[in-house]
Amino acid sequence: MNAMTDPIPVLDTQRLTLRAPRKSDLPTLTAFYETERSHMVGGPRDATGSFNSLASRIGHWAIYGFGLWHIDDRKTGDFLGWTGFLNPPSWDEPELGWTLFAHAEGKGYAFEAARAARAYGAGHLKLDGVISYIRADNTRSAALAEKLGATFEREGEVMGTPCHIWRHPKEAT
């Protein structure tokens, strides 16, 4: 993959489309990052911070050839959140992450999306057996990691915040 020119792949699951971040997502991202709910993923942020987040998502794909997909409901086109891989310079190794907006929680979307991203990462990006950084108080994400087959590996730190590091099982054979 030539990271600077190849398009971001689109993944379809039974109910979801994982697609490239786009400019039209900015109002929804800005509204999310203005809430305390965003504290698990580097928020709250102002409009400029939200723009920088969107730009860095696109840039991550351009630099590394992998990154975060934005998740849409296939039936309605509603933007539900994101999942995918991050590996900024301060990370120990690539991470599989996920975030859903409040209205999308409790419907199995995070599991469906993260499972599709993880399978694609293992099969196409050489990202197999990755980690997830999860804050100790984020019980919903820890439960999802367990449902995905990940196991608690160790205590760690990400962006200056203590967290738990969960290891996902290898998928590729």
Side-chain angles (χ1 to χ4, degrees):
M1 173 180 264
N2 179 340
M4 294 307 287
T5 59
D6 285 350
I8 296 170
V10 174
L11 309 180
D12 285 316
T13 69
Q14 181 179 358
R15 301 178 297 162
L16 307 171
T17 296
L18 282 61
R19 50 124 179 123
R22 56 185 178 229
K23 182 181 174 185
S24 61
D25 297 330
L26 192 54
T28 305
L29 282 175
T30 300
F32 169 75
Y33 275 118
E34 288 175 344
T35 69
E36 183 56 34
R37 181 175 170 76
S38 69
H39 79 282
M40 297 287 188
V41 289
R45 298 178 180 170
D46 61 12
T48 299
S50 296
F51 172 83
N52 290 340
S53 177
L54 180 61
S56 71
R57 291 164 195 228
I58 296 165
H60 198 286
W61 279 100
I63 293 167
Y64 290 111
F66 61 86
L68 294 175
W69 285 276
H70 282 190
I71 305 165
D72 285 347
D73 181 306
R74 286 182 68 183
K75 285 184 184 174
T76 66
D78 188 24
F79 176 29
L80 305 173
W82 58 85
T83 191
F85 302 98
L86 292 169
N87 194 22
S90 62
W91 262 230
D92 294 340
E93 59 187 275
E95 176 201 18
L96 172 63
W98 50 81
T99 299
L100 288 182
F101 304 131
H103 73 279
E105 278 196 350
K107 299 174 183 166
Y109 294 147
F111 177 80
E112 190 174 328
R115 182 76 187 89
R118 190 175 75 183
Y120 187 88
H124 299 279
L125 303 172
K126 297 182 177 149
L127 298 172
D128 202 3
V130 296
I131 62 171
S132 289
Y133 290 108
I134 300 175
R135 286 177 49 147
D137 61 344
N138 191 343
T139 57
R140 291 183 71 111
S141 277
L144 177 56
E146 280 190 280
K147 186 175 178 181
L148 287 163
T151 55
F152 174 80
E153 185 174 273
R154 61 188 162 89
E155 304 264 338
E157 184 177 295
V158 64
M159 298 186 321
T161 302
C163 66
H164 291 166
I165 297 175
W166 290 74
R167 176 71 59 186
H168 290 268
K170 288 192 177 283
E171 295 203 20
T173 55

